Every structure is written in structure tokens, then in C-alpha cells.
Amino acid sequence: MKDAPRILPHVLVRVLPVTMAVLLAVWFAMRLVAADTLERDVRRHIDVEANHGARQLGDRLWSIMTSITNLAANDLLINGLIDTTARENYLPLFFQSLRIPGPENARITLTDYRGRRVASNHRDVPGYVNVPWLEGVMKGKPFFHISPEGLEAAAPVLYEGSPEGLVALFYGPDRVPEILSLSAQQMAFAVFNNRGECLFSSADAPWKTAMSDSGAHAKNWIETRREIPGFGDLTLVCGQSTASAFTSLRRLDLFFLMGMCLNLLALAGAVFLAVRMVARPLWKFAADMDGRRALTDSQDLVSESGPAEFQTLTRSFN
């Protein structure tokens, strides 16, 4: 009997492992469901931010292009191309006071049909004689291009339907990130052209190197890609790191694990109290039996106490 296990460890060894296994199974199932639900919500939020950012960039670039097109239709510029004798009296003043939507320091130039400089708001603009897009603009097709080297846009100046010159706009490479900049809480953005060159990247974005827009997703990031409306050669990448996206899930894990530990402690305490409630009458009954083993008086009975089962046991002994 001395080698037999005591009742409390005997019960705990059989109750706590099973309970822990059940709680872990419940936690694992809850975590799978919660992680899947949270990931769908994060992806939905990223899609909304990507659509909003793409429209915002499209409107911003289209505003720049529209301002150049409207400027090319200005009667003063049309007259300046034709009036070669008096245009120096008003074109320089006009370009000095010229402002368009977008960042400052835009270089705006008026040229003739050969790309030779007529007027500009910068002195160091030689003209656009040998640029490859000159012929297309002189056929009436506006031009737009953005790259790490800068933003260029041009529109023909028409006189009675025929191109007589063009208005060209140029932003330097330092202005490209400003034009394409986007910001949102917990989101990262990057803009790539059709050659995979990164034109803009937010500070915490993992897409910062040229040719990294190969279609492969960044490790440990949830991301989506959108074509910028009206500018099909530009792609916006929007995403959020999994560490940031699953912060709430980690808090839920910690809360559940702490709750599971408290449940196990409560269960161990309940088992301890239950065992004591059972063991006390049992020890008392055993002690009474030990005190009567040597007696021959059958009237000296063990008192019945405790739960019904122990009373039954005492009655059977008596």
C-alpha cells in the first residue's frame, strides 16, 4: 500500500493532460479561423487603398498633362509663334509669371515646329530639336513620359488645326518622388514603370531597387498591384507587412494562452478541493477501522459520515 500513488497526483495526471490537449485543439482551430478572417480583411483593406492610390496618382498626372494641353491652346502662345517681331515684348513676361498644378520649378518651354526654343521660364533650355518624340507631337499627338531621370510632357500648339510648335514641360529627377508620393497609415507604396524601374517608394516599403517589379511578392508582406488609370505603363504596388497586419492576432494568442494557463490552474485547484472532500471522510473511515480491528465488541460501530457512498461503505463494514 505504501507504493500506491496518492489520490491527488493520480487524478491530476489523468485530468490535466486531457484538458490541456482539448484547450490547445480549441486554440489551434480558433487561430486558423481568426488568421484566415484577418488576412481576408487586410487584403480587402489593401485593395481599397491601392484603388484609391491609383486613382489619386492618375488624377495628379492627368492634371499635369491637361495643364500643358490647355497651355498649348492659349491664344498668346499661338500668337507668339506667328508674331516673330513683337513676341519678345510679352512672351518672357508671360513665362516668368507662369504657374501650373504640381511641384515648383517646372521647366516650361515653347518651341517652333522644329523644336527650336522660342520662350521659356528657364534660361538654360536649348530646345528640343533632336528629341525622338518631336515628330509624334508635330503630328498632333501629346507626349508624356516619366522615369527616374525626370518627367517630360509636351503638347502641340495648333494654328487653324495645324501644329506650329509645341509646349514642353520637364521636372527633374528630384521632383519625381514628390509627384508620385502617397502615404497611408500602416501601408507602403511603390510606383514602377514598364521597365521595372522604381520611381517612388515609401520609407518602409520593401520595393526600392530597380527591376524589382518582376511579379514576385516581397517576403513577409501582403501586397496588391494596380495599373494607374490613363497611364498604362505605370504600376502601383501597395502592401502591408505581416508583422503589422497580424499584431492583433498575436495579442489574441497571448490572451488565449494566459486564459488557458488560468483555466488549468483553476482546474487543478478544483481537483485539489474535490480530492480533499473525498479523501477526508475516507481517511477518517480508515482511521476508525484501524482503531477497531482488535476489538471483539460488535456493538462498537464505526460512525457513518460523509457522502452517501462512504456511509454505504461504513454500513457494510459495520
Side-chain angles (χ1 to χ4, degrees):
M1 292 296 293
K2 292 183 179 180
D3 296 333
R6 298 179 66 87
I7 187 171
L8 180 61
H10 183 77
V11 174
L12 289 178
V13 167
R14 283 158 176 77
V15 171
L16 289 185
V18 175
T19 305
M20 183 179 295
V22 172
L23 290 176
L24 288 175
V26 172
W27 168 76
F28 184 73
M30 288 178 57
R31 196 182 191 284
L32 288 179
V33 175
D36 184 64
T37 303
L38 181 59
E39 184 174 354
R40 286 201 304 268
D41 290 342
V42 171
R43 290 191 180 277
R44 190 180 303 113
H45 180 57
I46 292 176
D47 287 341
V48 171
E49 290 291 339
N51 291 333
H52 176 71
R55 288 195 301 268
Q56 184 178 347
L57 289 180
D59 292 343
R60 191 181 302 169
L61 296 176
W62 187 250
S63 176
I64 294 175
M65 192 65 215
T66 302
S67 65
I68 292 301
T69 304
N70 293 337
L71 182 61
N74 190 291
D75 292 337
L76 189 65
L77 299 189
I78 298 173
N79 187 70
L81 287 177
I82 301 172
D83 185 12
T84 59
T85 58
R87 62 189 179 193
E88 292 299 328
N89 296 328
Y90 52 87
L91 283 184
L93 295 175
F94 175 79
F95 275 89
Q96 288 176 9
S97 61
L98 187 59
R99 298 291 184 273
I100 65 168
E104 297 180 354
N105 299 326
R107 193 178 72 190
I108 305 173
T109 305
L110 174 66
T111 75
D112 61 11
Y113 68 97
R114 292 184 179 179
R116 294 174 297 191
R117 181 183 187 273
V118 174
S120 178
N121 60 350
H122 281 63
R123 296 181 179 179
D124 57 346
V125 181
Y128 294 89
V129 176
N130 297 318
V131 294
W133 45 263
L134 177 63
E135 183 179 355
V137 175
M138 286 298 96
K139 291 181 179 180
K141 183 179 180 181
F143 170 77
F144 181 89
H145 177 71
I146 188 169
S147 71
E149 288 73 35
L151 183 151
E152 287 184 303
V157 178
L158 303 177
Y159 177 68
E160 294 183 353
S162 300
E164 294 292 336
L166 63 87
V167 175
L169 174 142
F170 177 78
Y171 279 113
D174 58 324
R175 296 297 180 181
V176 172
E178 181 180 353
I179 295 171
L180 300 176
S181 64
L182 289 171
S183 62
Q185 188 177 8
Q186 298 181 339
M187 291 292 162
F189 297 94
V191 179
F192 293 86
N193 59 16
N194 55 3
R195 293 185 293 179
E197 298 172 322
C198 185
L199 306 179
F200 162 77
S201 178
S202 53
D204 54 346
W207 323 282
K208 294 184 179 180
T209 58
M211 304 304 294
S212 62
D213 187 37
S214 59
H217 289 262
K219 186 178 180 180
N220 297 325
W221 277 75
I222 303 173
E223 64 184 59
T224 188
R225 304 178 182 217
R226 290 291 184 275
E227 181 181 289
I228 296 179
F231 301 87
D233 58 340
L234 298 179
T235 300
L236 172 67
V237 184
C238 175
Q240 183 178 359
S241 66
T242 54
S244 173
F246 290 96
T247 300
S248 59
L249 184 61
R250 289 195 298 272
R251 292 175 181 171
L252 181 63
D253 287 342
L254 180 61
F255 175 79
F256 189 87
L257 291 175
M258 291 178 61
M260 184 171 64
C261 292
L262 292 176
N263 285 333
L264 291 176
L265 288 176
L267 179 61
V271 169
F272 174 76
L273 293 176
V275 167
R276 282 186 62 87
M277 292 175 63
V278 173
R280 269 190 167 184
L282 184 61
W283 283 112
K284 183 178 182 300
F285 174 67
D288 288 344
M289 286 192 298
D290 283 341
R292 287 164 173 75
R293 282 188 302 179
L295 298 178
T296 58
D297 187 1
S298 60
Q299 299 302 318
D300 190 9
L301 303 178
V302 176
S303 60
E304 298 180 7
S305 63
E309 290 83 353
F310 287 111
Q311 293 183 16
T312 302
L313 180 61
T314 303
R315 194 176 303 116
S316 300
F317 174 77
N318 289 332

